[in-house]
Amino acid sequence: MRSQYLPILILCAISLSCQPGVDIQSERASLLETDSKLGELSFSSNNVDELVAFYSSDAMVIPPNNQVLKGKPGIREFLAFWVEKSDYSVTWKPESAMVSNDGTAGQTFGTIRFAGPGLGATPVVYFGRYVSVWRKGNTGSWKCVVNIWNLGPTDGKPGNATPR
């Protein structure tokens, strides 16, 4: 009786091992594309909801020298504040991405540029680095779950502020 199930078990094991795996390179490219789109929109978009759509409902944003923002309502309020300030601009560019073996989680790393009025209204450009943690949603799209960055008053060299 048991021997009659052995071929079925072997067939199941073979079929499971032959299922296609996750194409990590493709997922990495998809994640970089998503992060790039968010970077292109950044604050050039006046549509805050378009920016917030890149975040998961349980996302956390951790700006420098600020409180941790949890969830879309807090993130939306933070982004709306900066979008309304037309004399500021923020852009970033991803440099690399890593994706989990199952293709459901990833992280991006890149550079950020923040320009605006400094002390005495003298325009200043700040550069920094960011790390974002992403999760693949049920719809198959990447959603940012954690975003953290630093800013330094640099022109690429620590400690040097750059007037615009």
Side-chain angles (χ1 to χ4, degrees), residues 11-58:
L11 202 64
C12 287
I14 290 171
S15 68
L16 287 174
S17 66
C18 293
Q19 289 183 351
V22 174
D23 182 350
I24 298 298
Q25 294 291 27
S26 175
E27 291 298 332
R28 186 179 294 129
S30 171
L31 179 54
L32 281 169
E33 180 181 342
T34 300
D35 195 1
S36 291
K37 283 180 186 174
L38 180 56
E40 288 168 14
L41 281 176
S42 59
F43 293 90
S44 65
S45 172
N46 289 329
N47 186 341
V48 176
D49 292 327
E50 189 175 29
L51 296 169
V52 174
F54 282 87
Y55 292 89
S56 67
S57 59
D58 60 345

mmCIF file of all heavy atoms in Angstrom, residues 11-58:
data_model
loop_
_atom_site.group_PDB
_atom_site.id
_atom_site.type_symbol
_atom_site.label_atom_id
_atom_site.label_comp_id
_atom_site.label_asym_id
_atom_site.label_seq_id
_atom_site.Cartn_x
_atom_site.Cartn_y
_atom_site.Cartn_z
ATOM 1 N N LEU A 11 7.073 12.311 -7.783
ATOM 2 C CA LEU A 11 6.589 13.246 -8.798
ATOM 3 C C LEU A 11 6.338 14.640 -8.202
ATOM 4 O O LEU A 11 6.695 15.663 -8.809
ATOM 5 C CB LEU A 11 5.296 12.694 -9.418
ATOM 6 C CG LEU A 11 4.935 13.211 -10.780
ATOM 7 C CD1 LEU A 11 5.989 12.804 -11.797
ATOM 8 C CD2 LEU A 11 3.580 12.699 -11.197
ATOM 9 N N CYS A 12 5.751 14.682 -7.010
ATOM 10 C CA CYS A 12 5.513 15.969 -6.336
ATOM 11 C C CYS A 12 6.834 16.652 -6.014
ATOM 12 O O CYS A 12 6.975 17.871 -6.219
ATOM 13 C CB CYS A 12 4.718 15.767 -5.048
ATOM 14 S SG CYS A 12 2.989 15.381 -5.336
ATOM 15 N N ALA A 13 7.795 15.908 -5.510
ATOM 16 C CA ALA A 13 9.097 16.491 -5.170
ATOM 17 C C ALA A 13 9.785 17.050 -6.408
ATOM 18 O O ALA A 13 10.357 18.147 -6.382
ATOM 19 C CB ALA A 13 9.981 15.442 -4.495
ATOM 20 N N ILE A 14 9.712 16.328 -7.512
ATOM 21 C CA ILE A 14 10.334 16.797 -8.759
ATOM 22 C C ILE A 14 9.626 18.048 -9.263
ATOM 23 O O ILE A 14 10.265 19.026 -9.656
ATOM 24 C CB ILE A 14 10.325 15.682 -9.829
ATOM 25 C CG1 ILE A 14 11.298 14.574 -9.428
ATOM 26 C CG2 ILE A 14 10.679 16.242 -11.201
ATOM 27 C CD1 ILE A 14 11.220 13.333 -10.295
ATOM 28 N N SER A 15 8.303 18.047 -9.233
ATOM 29 C CA SER A 15 7.579 19.211 -9.758
ATOM 30 C C SER A 15 7.821 20.452 -8.898
ATOM 31 O O SER A 15 7.924 21.556 -9.412
ATOM 32 C CB SER A 15 6.087 18.922 -9.883
ATOM 33 O OG SER A 15 5.500 18.782 -8.610
ATOM 34 N N LEU A 16 7.937 20.280 -7.590
ATOM 35 C CA LEU A 16 8.225 21.425 -6.729
ATOM 36 C C LEU A 16 9.628 21.969 -6.962
ATOM 37 O O LEU A 16 9.852 23.173 -6.943
ATOM 38 C CB LEU A 16 8.045 21.045 -5.259
ATOM 39 C CG LEU A 16 6.605 20.876 -4.792
ATOM 40 C CD1 LEU A 16 6.568 20.364 -3.356
ATOM 41 C CD2 LEU A 16 5.840 22.177 -4.902
ATOM 42 N N SER A 17 10.580 21.068 -7.190
ATOM 43 C CA SER A 17 11.952 21.531 -7.399
ATOM 44 C C SER A 17 12.128 22.166 -8.775
ATOM 45 O O SER A 17 13.063 22.917 -8.991
ATOM 46 C CB SER A 17 12.941 20.374 -7.224
ATOM 47 O OG SER A 17 12.755 19.421 -8.250
ATOM 48 N N CYS A 18 11.223 21.927 -9.688
ATOM 49 C CA CYS A 18 11.329 22.488 -11.036
ATOM 50 C C CYS A 18 10.589 23.807 -11.201
ATOM 51 O O CYS A 18 10.628 24.403 -12.260
ATOM 52 C CB CYS A 18 10.795 21.489 -12.073
ATOM 53 S SG CYS A 18 11.806 20.015 -12.209
ATOM 54 N N GLN A 19 9.881 24.232 -10.153
ATOM 55 C CA GLN A 19 9.175 25.510 -10.267
ATOM 56 C C GLN A 19 10.192 26.626 -10.435
ATOM 57 O O GLN A 19 11.262 26.602 -9.839
ATOM 58 C CB GLN A 19 8.329 25.754 -9.029
ATOM 59 C CG GLN A 19 7.128 24.846 -8.968
ATOM 60 C CD GLN A 19 6.268 25.162 -7.761
ATOM 61 O OE1 GLN A 19 6.638 25.930 -6.910
ATOM 62 N NE2 GLN A 19 5.110 24.534 -7.709
ATOM 63 N N PRO A 20 9.861 27.593 -11.277
ATOM 64 C CA PRO A 20 10.810 28.673 -11.513
ATOM 65 C C PRO A 20 11.073 29.471 -10.245
ATOM 66 O O PRO A 20 10.153 29.733 -9.467
ATOM 67 C CB PRO A 20 10.130 29.540 -12.576
ATOM 68 C CG PRO A 20 8.687 29.205 -12.485
ATOM 69 C CD PRO A 20 8.609 27.791 -11.980
ATOM 70 N N GLY A 21 12.328 29.844 -10.034
ATOM 71 C CA GLY A 21 12.703 30.653 -8.884
ATOM 72 C C GLY A 21 12.506 32.122 -9.195
ATOM 73 O O GLY A 21 12.038 32.502 -10.262
ATOM 74 N N VAL A 22 12.859 32.930 -8.246
ATOM 75 C CA VAL A 22 12.754 34.377 -8.402
ATOM 76 C C VAL A 22 13.951 34.874 -9.197
ATOM 77 O O VAL A 22 15.085 34.484 -8.933
ATOM 78 C CB VAL A 22 12.723 35.053 -7.009
ATOM 79 C CG1 VAL A 22 12.757 36.551 -7.126
ATOM 80 C CG2 VAL A 22 11.501 34.593 -6.229
ATOM 81 N N ASP A 23 13.698 35.709 -10.167
ATOM 82 C CA ASP A 23 14.762 36.316 -10.953
ATOM 83 C C ASP A 23 15.269 37.533 -10.178
ATOM 84 O O ASP A 23 14.705 38.628 -10.280
ATOM 85 C CB ASP A 23 14.230 36.716 -12.332
ATOM 86 C CG ASP A 23 15.291 37.318 -13.226
ATOM 87 O OD1 ASP A 23 16.407 37.609 -12.753
ATOM 88 O OD2 ASP A 23 14.995 37.503 -14.421
ATOM 89 N N ILE A 24 16.299 37.333 -9.386
ATOM 90 C CA ILE A 24 16.818 38.374 -8.500
ATOM 91 C C ILE A 24 17.273 39.596 -9.287
ATOM 92 O O ILE A 24 17.021 40.737 -8.881
ATOM 93 C CB ILE A 24 17.961 37.824 -7.619
ATOM 94 C CG1 ILE A 24 17.460 36.685 -6.712
ATOM 95 C CG2 ILE A 24 18.589 38.929 -6.779
ATOM 96 C CD1 ILE A 24 16.388 37.091 -5.730
ATOM 97 N N GLN A 25 17.916 39.393 -10.416
ATOM 98 C CA GLN A 25 18.383 40.529 -11.222
ATOM 99 C C GLN A 25 17.206 41.383 -11.697
ATOM 100 O O GLN A 25 17.258 42.605 -11.678
ATOM 101 C CB GLN A 25 19.209 40.055 -12.426
ATOM 102 C CG GLN A 25 20.519 39.385 -12.058
ATOM 103 C CD GLN A 25 21.534 40.366 -11.472
ATOM 104 O OE1 GLN A 25 21.194 41.384 -10.878
ATOM 105 N NE2 GLN A 25 22.795 40.069 -11.645
ATOM 106 N N SER A 26 16.157 40.729 -12.125
ATOM 107 C CA SER A 26 14.965 41.439 -12.582
ATOM 108 C C SER A 26 14.303 42.195 -11.432
ATOM 109 O O SER A 26 13.861 43.341 -11.590
ATOM 110 C CB SER A 26 13.983 40.446 -13.207
ATOM 111 O OG SER A 26 12.789 41.083 -13.550
ATOM 112 N N GLU A 27 14.231 41.555 -10.277
ATOM 113 C CA GLU A 27 13.643 42.201 -9.098
ATOM 114 C C GLU A 27 14.493 43.396 -8.665
ATOM 115 O O GLU A 27 13.968 44.444 -8.280
ATOM 116 C CB GLU A 27 13.478 41.215 -7.943
ATOM 117 C CG GLU A 27 12.425 40.157 -8.182
ATOM 118 C CD GLU A 27 11.024 40.737 -8.370
ATOM 119 O OE1 GLU A 27 10.721 41.814 -7.827
ATOM 120 O OE2 GLU A 27 10.225 40.106 -9.068
ATOM 121 N N ARG A 28 15.804 43.241 -8.717
ATOM 122 C CA ARG A 28 16.711 44.342 -8.360
ATOM 123 C C ARG A 28 16.501 45.520 -9.317
ATOM 124 O O ARG A 28 16.414 46.667 -8.887
ATOM 125 C CB ARG A 28 18.160 43.875 -8.390
ATOM 126 C CG ARG A 28 19.137 44.928 -7.899
ATOM 127 C CD ARG A 28 20.579 44.453 -7.918
ATOM 128 N NE ARG A 28 20.760 43.372 -6.967
ATOM 129 C CZ ARG A 28 21.323 42.197 -7.258
ATOM 130 N NH1 ARG A 28 21.774 41.962 -8.463
ATOM 131 N NH2 ARG A 28 21.459 41.277 -6.330
ATOM 132 N N ALA A 29 16.388 45.225 -10.604
ATOM 133 C CA ALA A 29 16.150 46.281 -11.599
ATOM 134 C C ALA A 29 14.799 46.956 -11.358
ATOM 135 O O ALA A 29 14.687 48.190 -11.455
ATOM 136 C CB ALA A 29 16.210 45.697 -13.010
ATOM 137 N N SER A 30 13.786 46.187 -11.015
ATOM 138 C CA SER A 30 12.464 46.726 -10.728
ATOM 139 C C SER A 30 12.501 47.638 -9.501
ATOM 140 O O SER A 30 11.886 48.715 -9.482
ATOM 141 C CB SER A 30 11.476 45.580 -10.507
ATOM 142 O OG SER A 30 10.248 46.044 -10.027
ATOM 143 N N LEU A 31 13.235 47.221 -8.480
ATOM 144 C CA LEU A 31 13.355 48.013 -7.265
ATOM 145 C C LEU A 31 14.108 49.317 -7.539
ATOM 146 O O LEU A 31 13.684 50.397 -7.109
ATOM 147 C CB LEU A 31 14.049 47.212 -6.162
ATOM 148 C CG LEU A 31 14.259 47.917 -4.832
ATOM 149 C CD1 LEU A 31 12.949 48.474 -4.279
ATOM 150 C CD2 LEU A 31 14.902 46.964 -3.832
ATOM 151 N N LEU A 32 15.191 49.242 -8.286
ATOM 152 C CA LEU A 32 15.939 50.456 -8.646
ATOM 153 C C LEU A 32 15.076 51.410 -9.467
ATOM 154 O O LEU A 32 15.119 52.629 -9.281
ATOM 155 C CB LEU A 32 17.206 50.104 -9.420
ATOM 156 C CG LEU A 32 18.388 49.617 -8.579
ATOM 157 C CD1 LEU A 32 19.480 49.052 -9.468
ATOM 158 C CD2 LEU A 32 18.922 50.731 -7.699
ATOM 159 N N GLU A 33 14.270 50.857 -10.351
ATOM 160 C CA GLU A 33 13.373 51.684 -11.164
ATOM 161 C C GLU A 33 12.337 52.391 -10.286
ATOM 162 O O GLU A 33 12.059 53.581 -10.465
ATOM 163 C CB GLU A 33 12.674 50.826 -12.215
ATOM 164 C CG GLU A 33 11.741 51.602 -13.101
ATOM 165 C CD GLU A 33 11.025 50.721 -14.121
ATOM 166 O OE1 GLU A 33 11.477 49.589 -14.374
ATOM 167 O OE2 GLU A 33 10.011 51.189 -14.660
ATOM 168 N N THR A 34 11.784 51.665 -9.316
ATOM 169 C CA THR A 34 10.800 52.258 -8.410
ATOM 170 C C THR A 34 11.424 53.378 -7.595
ATOM 171 O O THR A 34 10.861 54.468 -7.471
ATOM 172 C CB THR A 34 10.209 51.182 -7.480
ATOM 173 O OG1 THR A 34 9.570 50.181 -8.268
ATOM 174 C CG2 THR A 34 9.201 51.774 -6.506
ATOM 175 N N ASP A 35 12.614 53.122 -7.034
ATOM 176 C CA ASP A 35 13.291 54.136 -6.240
ATOM 177 C C ASP A 35 13.661 55.343 -7.106
ATOM 178 O O ASP A 35 13.540 56.496 -6.681
ATOM 179 C CB ASP A 35 14.533 53.543 -5.573
ATOM 180 C CG ASP A 35 15.082 54.419 -4.454
ATOM 181 O OD1 ASP A 35 14.506 55.476 -4.163
ATOM 182 O OD2 ASP A 35 16.103 54.033 -3.872
ATOM 183 N N SER A 36 14.069 55.091 -8.341
ATOM 184 C CA SER A 36 14.402 56.189 -9.263
ATOM 185 C C SER A 36 13.174 57.041 -9.571
ATOM 186 O O SER A 36 13.261 58.268 -9.640
ATOM 187 C CB SER A 36 14.971 55.638 -10.574
ATOM 188 O OG SER A 36 16.234 55.070 -10.354
ATOM 189 N N LYS A 37 12.017 56.384 -9.760
ATOM 190 C CA LYS A 37 10.782 57.132 -10.024
ATOM 191 C C LYS A 37 10.438 58.045 -8.856
ATOM 192 O O LYS A 37 10.067 59.201 -9.044
ATOM 193 C CB LYS A 37 9.611 56.180 -10.281
ATOM 194 C CG LYS A 37 9.607 55.561 -11.642
ATOM 195 C CD LYS A 37 8.415 54.643 -11.803
ATOM 196 C CE LYS A 37 8.472 53.889 -13.110
ATOM 197 N NZ LYS A 37 7.400 52.894 -13.215
ATOM 198 N N LEU A 38 10.576 57.513 -7.649
ATOM 199 C CA LEU A 38 10.315 58.328 -6.469
ATOM 200 C C LEU A 38 11.312 59.485 -6.398
ATOM 201 O O LEU A 38 10.940 60.618 -6.101
ATOM 202 C CB LEU A 38 10.388 57.471 -5.201
ATOM 203 C CG LEU A 38 10.127 58.189 -3.875
ATOM 204 C CD1 LEU A 38 8.784 58.900 -3.872
ATOM 205 C CD2 LEU A 38 10.210 57.201 -2.728
ATOM 206 N N GLY A 39 12.554 59.213 -6.721
ATOM 207 C CA GLY A 39 13.569 60.263 -6.730
ATOM 208 C C GLY A 39 13.302 61.330 -7.776
ATOM 209 O O GLY A 39 13.526 62.516 -7.541
ATOM 210 N N GLU A 40 12.809 60.909 -8.934
ATOM 211 C CA GLU A 40 12.482 61.872 -9.995
ATOM 212 C C GLU A 40 11.309 62.753 -9.574
ATOM 213 O O GLU A 40 11.302 63.956 -9.822
ATOM 214 C CB GLU A 40 12.137 61.138 -11.293
ATOM 215 C CG GLU A 40 13.324 60.500 -11.967
ATOM 216 C CD GLU A 40 12.925 59.539 -13.072
ATOM 217 O OE1 GLU A 40 11.747 59.558 -13.509
ATOM 218 O OE2 GLU A 40 13.782 58.749 -13.499
ATOM 219 N N LEU A 41 10.317 62.143 -8.938
ATOM 220 C CA LEU A 41 9.167 62.921 -8.481
ATOM 221 C C LEU A 41 9.562 63.826 -7.328
ATOM 222 O O LEU A 41 9.224 65.002 -7.314
ATOM 223 C CB LEU A 41 8.047 61.997 -7.996
ATOM 224 C CG LEU A 41 7.191 61.343 -9.032
ATOM 225 C CD1 LEU A 41 6.215 60.393 -8.351
ATOM 226 C CD2 LEU A 41 6.439 62.364 -9.840
ATOM 227 N N SER A 42 10.285 63.204 -6.370
ATOM 228 C CA SER A 42 10.635 63.844 -5.107
ATOM 229 C C SER A 42 9.783 65.074 -4.873
ATOM 230 O O SER A 42 8.588 64.970 -4.686
ATOM 231 C CB SER A 42 12.130 64.110 -5.014
ATOM 232 O OG SER A 42 12.560 64.936 -6.062
ATOM 233 N N PHE A 43 10.374 66.216 -4.867
ATOM 234 C CA PHE A 43 9.590 67.397 -4.568
ATOM 235 C C PHE A 43 9.329 68.237 -5.806
ATOM 236 O O PHE A 43 8.908 69.368 -5.716
ATOM 237 C CB PHE A 43 10.260 68.193 -3.460
ATOM 238 C CG PHE A 43 10.222 67.437 -2.171
ATOM 239 C CD1 PHE A 43 11.244 66.578 -1.825
ATOM 240 C CD2 PHE A 43 9.135 67.541 -1.337
ATOM 241 C CE1 PHE A 43 11.194 65.848 -0.656
ATOM 242 C CE2 PHE A 43 9.075 66.813 -0.156
ATOM 243 C CZ PHE A 43 10.101 65.966 0.192
ATOM 244 N N SER A 44 9.555 67.661 -6.976
ATOM 245 C CA SER A 44 9.161 68.354 -8.200
ATOM 246 C C SER A 44 7.665 68.172 -8.429
ATOM 247 O O SER A 44 7.054 68.883 -9.195
ATOM 248 C CB SER A 44 9.957 67.829 -9.397
ATOM 249 O OG SER A 44 9.641 66.479 -9.633
ATOM 250 N N SER A 45 7.099 67.202 -7.728
ATOM 251 C CA SER A 45 5.661 66.953 -7.839
ATOM 252 C C SER A 45 4.931 67.771 -6.786
ATOM 253 O O SER A 45 5.347 67.832 -5.640
ATOM 254 C CB SER A 45 5.372 65.465 -7.599
ATOM 255 O OG SER A 45 3.989 65.246 -7.528
ATOM 256 N N ASN A 46 3.868 68.399 -7.183
ATOM 257 C CA ASN A 46 3.018 69.098 -6.219
ATOM 258 C C ASN A 46 1.932 68.174 -5.689
ATOM 259 O O ASN A 46 1.116 68.585 -4.894
ATOM 260 C CB ASN A 46 2.386 70.338 -6.861
ATOM 261 C CG ASN A 46 3.411 71.412 -7.091
ATOM 262 O OD1 ASN A 46 4.375 71.526 -6.340
ATOM 263 N ND2 ASN A 46 3.222 72.193 -8.133
ATOM 264 N N ASN A 47 1.930 66.931 -6.141
ATOM 265 C CA ASN A 47 0.934 65.952 -5.739
ATOM 266 C C ASN A 47 1.500 65.094 -4.613
ATOM 267 O O ASN A 47 2.194 64.113 -4.857
ATOM 268 C CB ASN A 47 0.539 65.104 -6.948
ATOM 269 C CG ASN A 47 -0.594 64.163 -6.634
ATOM 270 O OD1 ASN A 47 -0.884 63.867 -5.474
ATOM 271 N ND2 ASN A 47 -1.246 63.679 -7.679
ATOM 272 N N VAL A 48 1.203 65.486 -3.385
ATOM 273 C CA VAL A 48 1.723 64.772 -2.219
ATOM 274 C C VAL A 48 1.246 63.330 -2.207
ATOM 275 O O VAL A 48 1.991 62.418 -1.862
ATOM 276 C CB VAL A 48 1.328 65.504 -0.915
ATOM 277 C CG1 VAL A 48 1.779 64.726 0.301
ATOM 278 C CG2 VAL A 48 1.926 66.900 -0.900
ATOM 279 N N ASP A 49 0.002 63.100 -2.613
ATOM 280 C CA ASP A 49 -0.542 61.744 -2.605
ATOM 281 C C ASP A 49 0.238 60.829 -3.554
ATOM 282 O O ASP A 49 0.377 59.635 -3.294
ATOM 283 C CB ASP A 49 -2.026 61.746 -2.961
ATOM 284 C CG ASP A 49 -2.860 62.398 -1.869
ATOM 285 O OD1 ASP A 49 -2.492 62.274 -0.684
ATOM 286 O OD2 ASP A 49 -3.869 63.041 -2.199
ATOM 287 N N GLU A 50 0.733 61.393 -4.638
ATOM 288 C CA GLU A 50 1.550 60.627 -5.582
ATOM 289 C C GLU A 50 2.849 60.163 -4.910
ATOM 290 O O GLU A 50 3.292 59.040 -5.123
ATOM 291 C CB GLU A 50 1.855 61.505 -6.792
ATOM 292 C CG GLU A 50 2.511 60.796 -7.944
ATOM 293 C CD GLU A 50 2.677 61.718 -9.150
ATOM 294 O OE1 GLU A 50 2.805 62.943 -8.982
ATOM 295 O OE2 GLU A 50 2.671 61.171 -10.258
ATOM 296 N N LEU A 51 3.416 61.006 -4.071
ATOM 297 C CA LEU A 51 4.624 60.633 -3.329
ATOM 298 C C LEU A 51 4.319 59.613 -2.241
ATOM 299 O O LEU A 51 5.026 58.617 -2.081
ATOM 300 C CB LEU A 51 5.259 61.876 -2.701
ATOM 301 C CG LEU A 51 5.780 62.934 -3.656
ATOM 302 C CD1 LEU A 51 6.138 64.201 -2.903
ATOM 303 C CD2 LEU A 51 6.967 62.409 -4.429
ATOM 304 N N VAL A 52 3.248 59.843 -1.498
ATOM 305 C CA VAL A 52 2.878 58.965 -0.384
ATOM 306 C C VAL A 52 2.535 57.563 -0.887
ATOM 307 O O VAL A 52 2.743 56.573 -0.179
ATOM 308 C CB VAL A 52 1.708 59.578 0.424
ATOM 309 C CG1 VAL A 52 1.205 58.620 1.495
ATOM 310 C CG2 VAL A 52 2.151 60.890 1.065
ATOM 311 N N ALA A 53 2.067 57.452 -2.118
ATOM 312 C CA ALA A 53 1.694 56.145 -2.680
ATOM 313 C C ALA A 53 2.876 55.187 -2.756
ATOM 314 O O ALA A 53 2.683 53.970 -2.825
ATOM 315 C CB ALA A 53 1.085 56.333 -4.070
ATOM 316 N N PHE A 54 4.091 55.688 -2.714
ATOM 317 C CA PHE A 54 5.266 54.826 -2.748
ATOM 318 C C PHE A 54 5.532 54.147 -1.401
ATOM 319 O O PHE A 54 6.353 53.247 -1.317
ATOM 320 C CB PHE A 54 6.518 55.631 -3.146
ATOM 321 C CG PHE A 54 6.606 55.912 -4.614
ATOM 322 C CD1 PHE A 54 5.988 57.026 -5.164
ATOM 323 C CD2 PHE A 54 7.303 55.059 -5.455
ATOM 324 C CE1 PHE A 54 6.075 57.296 -6.518
ATOM 325 C CE2 PHE A 54 7.391 55.317 -6.811
ATOM 326 C CZ PHE A 54 6.772 56.437 -7.340
ATOM 327 N N TYR A 55 4.860 54.587 -0.346
ATOM 328 C CA TYR A 55 5.090 54.064 1.003
ATOM 329 C C TYR A 55 4.018 53.057 1.400
ATOM 330 O O TYR A 55 2.855 53.190 1.013
ATOM 331 C CB TYR A 55 5.110 55.209 2.020
ATOM 332 C CG TYR A 55 6.302 56.117 1.858
ATOM 333 C CD1 TYR A 55 6.252 57.218 1.009
ATOM 334 C CD2 TYR A 55 7.491 55.855 2.521
ATOM 335 C CE1 TYR A 55 7.355 58.047 0.834
ATOM 336 C CE2 TYR A 55 8.594 56.675 2.356
ATOM 337 C CZ TYR A 55 8.516 57.763 1.511
ATOM 338 O OH TYR A 55 9.602 58.578 1.337
ATOM 339 N N SER A 56 4.408 52.072 2.220
ATOM 340 C CA SER A 56 3.443 51.115 2.757
ATOM 341 C C SER A 56 2.641 51.804 3.860
ATOM 342 O O SER A 56 3.051 52.850 4.391
ATOM 343 C CB SER A 56 4.166 49.889 3.317
ATOM 344 O OG SER A 56 4.926 50.242 4.455
ATOM 345 N N SER A 57 1.528 51.226 4.232
ATOM 346 C CA SER A 57 0.678 51.834 5.257
ATOM 347 C C SER A 57 1.366 51.871 6.621
ATOM 348 O O SER A 57 1.053 52.715 7.452
ATOM 349 C CB SER A 57 -0.650 51.089 5.360
ATOM 350 O OG SER A 57 -0.413 49.738 5.690
ATOM 351 N N ASP A 58 2.320 50.957 6.849
ATOM 352 C CA ASP A 58 3.030 50.907 8.130
ATOM 353 C C ASP A 58 4.455 51.468 8.033
ATOM 354 O O ASP A 58 5.297 51.197 8.876
ATOM 355 C CB ASP A 58 3.062 49.477 8.658
ATOM 356 C CG ASP A 58 3.768 48.509 7.709
ATOM 357 O OD1 ASP A 58 3.988 48.854 6.520
ATOM 358 O OD2 ASP A 58 4.098 47.392 8.147
#
